[in-house]
Amino acid sequence: MSRPVTFTKKITRILIAAAACFCLLTGGIAAALSGVGLYRNISTFASQNAAQSLSDMNLYIRTAVAASRIITDNESIVAALQNPQSQTETDNIMTQFQLTTLSVYSAQLYDLNGNCYKTSGTEDVPALAELLDNEIFKDFADGSQTGIYWLRTSAMPGIYNNNRYNRAAGMYTFVTKVTDGADTVGYFLMDFNPYRMLGLFFDYRALNGYENSVAYFTLDGAALTATSTGEENPHAFVPSGESSPRKENGKLYIFEKLSAAGASLVVVLPLNRFYANLAIIIGAAAGGFCVCVAGAYLVIRISMKKTLKPLTQLTKELEKTKRQDDRQD
């Protein structure tokens, strides 16, 4: 009876191999789809967070811009720019504006002769000629726009709040023209501290899975040092036309363009949590594969025994009958 036994084993192995291949294929597809879905959920949530936070930041700035009309539409300020009088009085008005508009880190006001009025604690301010040497500011001064956003790392004050400021951190500035009718009589610059804005709108570390995230600004192909954590930026990634989000070196990079020319926001999300969850999915798939193969093996063995045992018994009876017939002959 070696042939039926061998046949039974062969069929059993083929069926088990087929079941194993099916389980492996099904489990692999399920794990891959789960991993892709998990990544999409993370990247979509991160992108939506960044876009919403950027919208909130822009609203934060626009609120201050609307409040700045107390300076730009102030008749005494316009008169002072045309006929310089007491700088102390104008400086006091500027400081009072800063104190009542807490989002503004510093403000500077220039007349066309280069005289500068500034908020308290702001020193080492650039001359108007230095501002005009900057292409962005010059284009604005010569053009028809009444206001622009400017992320500056040069042509900016060296001291804020009586402390030396690291220009590599950048300063997010809104520049507007002060006019008398159709004539420009000066320029008003409002500075927004990037550390404060990044920390206020882009600090996601309290969110589950975002514990080691960080956000920073980039300008003209360089990453600035200010970050949402208040520490110096350790990242050098700069968007260069790639689609957002982008996965690189185990991190997810979300980036959005800023209103300032050549500037972008970058949010870095380490994917440690994603890889940990992916490992769980793969482990579960592998465990499911083993269970399914073991179950298939038992089912096939039992089914083969129940199916082939009667056939084997029938074969025995036929051979027995044949031997009896042979003896009778």
Side-chain angles (χ1 to χ4, degrees), residues 103-156:
S103 56
V104 177
Y105 191 54
S106 170
Q108 305 99 54
L109 178 67
Y110 291 84
D111 63 25
L112 299 185
N113 294 320
N115 296 307
C116 179
Y117 309 92
K118 51 190 173 46
T119 53
S120 177
T122 304
E123 303 294 342
D124 192 18
V125 295
L128 179 60
E130 184 179 351
L131 292 175
L132 291 171
D133 283 340
N134 183 279
E135 184 177 351
I136 292 177
F137 189 92
K138 186 177 187 306
D139 289 344
F140 167 71
D142 294 340
S144 59
Q145 289 180 289
T146 58
I148 62 166
Y149 293 93
W150 180 19
L151 182 55
R152 50 177 174 165
T153 55
S154 62
M156 60 183 286

Side-chain angles (χ1 to χ4, degrees), residues 36-109:
V36 170
L38 180 62
Y39 174 77
R40 285 180 177 174
N41 288 340
I42 291 174
S43 59
T44 299
F45 184 66
S47 297
Q48 290 174 345
N49 267 352
Q52 181 60 53
S53 297
L54 182 57
S55 177
D56 293 342
M57 187 194 83
N58 289 333
L59 178 61
Y60 171 85
I61 295 173
R62 287 197 299 270
T63 301
V65 170
S68 70
R69 291 174 182 168
I70 196 172
I71 298 293
T72 58
D73 294 346
N74 189 314
E75 292 183 359
S76 63
I77 292 293
V78 172
L81 292 176
Q82 294 173 308
N83 300 291
Q85 299 172 1
S86 171
Q87 176 155 348
T88 301
E89 181 181 350
T90 305
D91 284 347
N92 288 339
I93 294 175
M94 295 277 289
T95 298
Q96 186 62 34
F97 164 74
Q98 180 195 25
L99 293 175
T100 55
T101 312
L102 299 179
S103 56
V104 177
Y105 191 54
S106 170
Q108 305 99 54
L109 178 67

Side-chain angles (χ1 to χ4, degrees), residues 315-329:
T315 302
K316 290 180 179 179
E317 293 295 332
L318 290 174
E319 290 183 352
K320 181 179 179 181
T321 302
K322 183 178 179 182
R323 285 196 299 270
Q324 290 175 351
D325 291 343
D326 290 341
R327 284 197 297 268
Q328 291 176 357
D329 293 341

Side-chain angles (χ1 to χ4, degrees), residues 194-270:
Y195 284 104
R196 182 185 296 174
M197 291 196 301
L198 287 166
L200 184 61
F201 297 104
F202 303 99
D203 188 357
Y204 304 125
R205 290 175 296 173
L207 297 178
N208 186 30
Y210 281 73
E211 292 81 0
N212 297 313
S213 65
V214 63
Y216 58 93
F217 293 148
T218 68
L219 178 65
D220 296 332
L224 303 186
T225 60
T227 69
S228 56
T229 64
E231 300 173 354
E232 187 167 320
N233 179 25
H235 300 277
F237 176 85
V238 177
S240 58
E242 306 95 337
S243 60
S244 176
R246 179 177 175 183
K247 184 168 71 71
E248 186 175 293
N249 299 325
K251 298 179 180 63
L252 184 67
Y253 293 91
I254 310 294
F255 39 93
E256 298 277 350
K257 288 186 177 180
L258 298 177
S259 299
S264 297
L265 162 77
V266 177
V267 178
V268 185
L269 176 61

